[in-house]
Amino acid sequence: MSYDTQPKASHFIDGTYVEDTGGPTIPVIYPATGAQIAELHAATPAIIDRALSAAHHAQKQWAALSGTERGRILRRAADMMRERNRDLSVLETYDTGKPLQETLVADATSGADALEYFGGLAGSLTGEHIQLGEDWVYTRREPLGVCLGIGAWNYPTQIACWKGAPALACGNSMVFKPSETTPLSALKVAEILVEAGLPAGVFNVVQGFGDVGSSLVSDRRVAKVSLTGSVPTGKKVYAAAAAQMKHVTMELGGKSPMVIFDDADLDNAVGGAIMGNFYSSGQVCSNGTRVFVQKGLKAAFLERLTERLSNAVIGDPMNEQTSFGPMVSEKQMKIVLDYIEKGEKEGARLVTGGKRLDRDGFYLQPTVFADVTDDMTIAREEIFGPVMAVLEFETEEEAIRRGNDTEFGLSAGVFTRDLSRAHRVIGQLEAGSCYINSYNDAPVEAPFGGTKMSGVGRENSREAINHYSELKSVYVRMGDIEAPY
Ligand code: NDP
């Protein structure tokens, strides 16, 4: 396929591509082959300063536009993303290794949904009027200023849009730092936004490793930090933001429970477990990686699961028939192989998979462990790969207690035909994004985010507006002030 994966330059600042080869090299590796497909440079202090200064200067003028004007630009960008979906999907596949079958329907399209949704909301962002006798208070919904977005590597286009769209709709500007593992896609988002009419400097992309992220977080020009990443990084970034009392959104990791009762529709439960463990080769934060299956259904569940997994088409992600691609990087593949080894050593039963594939690229087999107990490492730590842990349970109370026995709280799912039980159980599971007889849906209209160690704040939906703006209250006195002296 002839596709130029080398971007014009590493960074996108003040409406244009910018290079500074003084920064450390970032080789971009295509996960399906291990070949280098581009070379970028991490931001130098001069680039960081330039991006923040551009964002700072552009923000006030952007905020001075009416919401409808801002929204129109975002909606135009959404249309352009949809028109260019195929090209953007191919690039996302090069960036991440995810199969084209997925990227065609889950990345630029989901980014376009966010731009369209928040573009539509921009014109209706208002404060309120509070009457107090003759006096009154009105509130103004104001932007925060320069927002910093820091992305993980699994959904680079989507993450840039999920952060950029609500931030921009509210009148903020943004500096976005993608993960150095997947630096290509966000540059295209910036390019499209500018082509759609976004004023220069409102959305900027700078590349870099954690140190670039860290310099950005602690810069006084940044008013808000939105991170998608792991819990350890989240703790560091949250602490650095707290030192200057910055607003934060933290979308972090998970080890989510999926509870499958005896009365569940078997194929739906198996389908949910597949989507919630193996989509994007398991590199999804909200995955239901602890699959609690009630005793009576366990044997049938494992049998049907193994049968359906044998239909996975593993191979070239650019082939649209391929339904299971490589891991994002050699590093991530090794991390997952270590977990698989620990699973075996600690006594879990390997039902299927467990091996690296004998081919170029970072391919692992979809892996299922059964007879997993709550104390095993593979049941406690986020693996972020195609490894499902199946745990057996007997009673509803037990499933809830064991499901909640984790520091994480991102997602949870319940499969049952008894809807009273479904609502009762989901009401008691400690998680932010939950599913009944489904798994991993993330429509832009619904809030998304975690509780406990999995995060702070919510992305998507009207709720995201509260995290990218603040209210100013204005008390208006109509009469005289009574002062005691
Ligand atoms: P990391 O936490 O390693 O990195 C996230 C981002 O933070 C990267 O851009 C990284 O840069 C940057 N970073 C690292 N250290 C710092 C620092 N000290 N200050 C500022 N920025 C820093 O996560 P991964 O990229 O490995 O992504 C996987 C994780 O993301 C998983 O835990 C997953 O659960 C989570 N995730 C959560 C989602 C959610 O919505 N809840 C969605 C998707 C993923 P660099 O990579 O260059 O080091």
Side-chain angles (χ1 to χ4, degrees):
M1 182 171 305
S2 67
Y3 190 100
D4 191 6
T5 41
Q6 177 66 41
K8 285 184 201 140
S10 299
H11 317 288
F12 194 97
I13 300 173
D14 215 3
T16 189
Y17 277 96
V18 175
E19 191 55 272
D20 179 350
T21 52
T25 305
I26 301 176
V28 186
I29 307 296
Y30 180 37
T33 60
Q36 183 168 329
I37 53 164
E39 183 177 286
L40 277 67
H41 291 273
T44 56
I47 287 286
I48 293 174
D49 184 59
R50 204 163 147 183
L52 287 169
S53 154
H56 182 67
H57 286 115
Q59 189 266 323
K60 291 232 163 6
Q61 265 184 310
W62 173 243
L65 295 181
S66 73
T68 305
E69 288 168 318
R70 289 197 301 272
R72 192 175 302 136
I73 293 170
L74 299 183
R75 285 185 289 109
R76 203 178 293 140
D79 291 344
M80 289 167 61
M81 285 191 78
R82 289 207 182 89
E83 281 156 22
R84 298 178 196 177
N85 183 39
R86 179 158 284 271
D87 274 359
L88 293 169
S89 304
V90 169
L91 186 68
E92 176 93 6
T93 291
Y94 273 122
D95 223 4
T96 61
K98 292 183 294 182
L100 200 52
Q101 190 186 91
E102 290 186 12
T103 55
L104 282 168
V105 297
D107 294 281
T109 52
S110 149
D113 283 355
L115 289 163
E116 185 175 5
Y117 177 84
F118 288 106
L121 277 188
S124 60
L125 303 179
T126 56
E128 63 176 339
H129 169 105
I130 303 157
Q131 195 68 41
L132 298 163
E134 280 198 345
D135 295 350
W136 46 285
V137 170
Y138 66 94
T139 60
R140 294 164 50 100
R141 183 163 290 283
E142 297 189 342
L144 301 172
V146 177
C147 297
L148 170 63
I150 303 180
W153 41 255
N154 56 345
Y155 281 80
T157 305
Q158 183 188 81
I159 293 172
C161 293
W162 280 20
K163 297 188 188 311
L168 270 45
C170 293
N172 303 286
S173 59
M174 175 162 273
V175 173
F176 184 79
K177 190 204 85 69
S179 163
E180 97 282 351
T181 311
T182 53
L184 303 178
S185 306
L187 290 169
K188 284 288 173 202
V189 174
E191 215 181 282
I192 286 173
L193 281 165
V194 166
E195 222 181 306
L198 190 74
V202 176
F203 187 82
N204 310 275
V205 176
V206 297
Q207 309 292 350
F209 300 86
D211 60 326
V212 170
S214 171
S215 304
L216 287 162
V217 173
S218 51
D219 193 286
R220 294 206 168 268
R221 284 167 287 189
V222 170
K224 189 230 157 87
V225 183
S226 176
L227 170 81
T228 297
S230 61
V231 170
T233 303
K235 284 187 195 169
K236 281 189 240 164
V237 171
Y238 200 172
Q244 291 169 25
M245 212 57 83
K246 293 178 181 180
H247 295 244
V248 296
T249 300
M250 295 281 146
E251 291 295 348
L252 309 177
K255 190 76 199 174
S256 303
M258 185 183 294
V259 181
I260 299 173
F261 286 94
D262 279 348
D263 69 343
D265 178 289
L266 179 62
D267 260 309
N268 282 339
V270 169
I274 288 174
M275 291 305 284
N277 279 272
F278 301 117
Y279 199 72
S280 302
S281 293
Q283 302 165 119
V284 178
C285 52
S286 46
N287 273 353
T289 47
R290 288 183 298 142
V291 181
F292 291 92
V293 185
Q294 205 164 17
K295 200 172 176 183
L297 195 69
K298 194 177 117 187
F301 175 84
L302 286 173
E303 191 187 327
R304 188 74 183 114
L305 176 67
T306 316
E307 200 177 295
R308 284 182 58 176
L309 280 179
S310 68
N311 296 326
V313 182
I314 307 178
D316 174 8
M318 291 297 175
N319 179 342
E320 280 181 54
Q321 301 310 310
T322 298
S323 55
F324 187 88
M327 304 298 300
V328 76
S329 64
E330 185 165 20
K331 182 176 155 206
Q332 189 61 21
M333 181 186 67
K334 286 187 171 152
I335 291 173
V336 178
L337 279 169
D338 275 355
Y339 276 113
I340 291 172
E341 201 182 312
K342 275 192 192 131
E344 290 188 283
K345 269 200 190 130
E346 291 176 19
R349 175 165 62 91
L350 186 63
V351 176
T352 181
K355 298 263 175 314
R356 181 180 182 177
L357 290 187
D358 184 18
R359 55 176 293 156
D360 286 344
F362 315 126
Y363 285 87
L364 288 179
Q365 294 171 325
T367 299
V368 177
F369 280 106
D371 303 341
V372 177
T373 52
D374 296 347
D375 55 333
M376 289 181 186
T377 310
I378 57 166
R380 304 220 65 81
E381 297 182 12
E382 184 184 45
I383 299 175
F384 223 59
V387 182
M388 183 196 294
V390 177
L391 304 96
E392 183 184 302
F393 75 97
E394 292 192 35
T395 67
E396 181 179 312
E397 174 282 327
E398 179 197 348
I400 295 166
R401 179 175 42 77
R402 291 171 60 198
N404 286 337
D405 182 20
T406 169
E407 61 170 2
F408 298 107
L410 186 50
S411 294
V414 177
F415 282 84
T416 174
R417 284 196 175 93
D418 177 348
L419 281 183
S420 301
R421 173 157 69 187
H423 294 293
R424 188 168 63 235
V425 172
I426 220 71
Q428 293 176 78
L429 286 171
E430 297 160 357
S433 298
C434 297
Y435 311 91
I436 291 176
N437 293 328
S438 189
Y439 208 84
N440 264 354
D441 314 81
V444 68
E445 296 86 350
F448 181 85
T451 59
K452 294 157 80 176
M453 295 300 275
S454 291
V456 175
R458 292 291 178 267
E459 296 201 292
N460 290 342
S461 78
R462 288 181 171 272
E463 188 57 27
I465 297 298
N466 297 330
H467 296 286
Y468 282 102
S469 61
E470 59 191 345
L471 288 177
K472 176 182 279 176
S473 302
V474 183
Y475 190 104
V476 181
R477 182 176 294 279
M478 301 301 283
D480 295 330
I481 294 182
E482 279 181 31
Y485 52 87

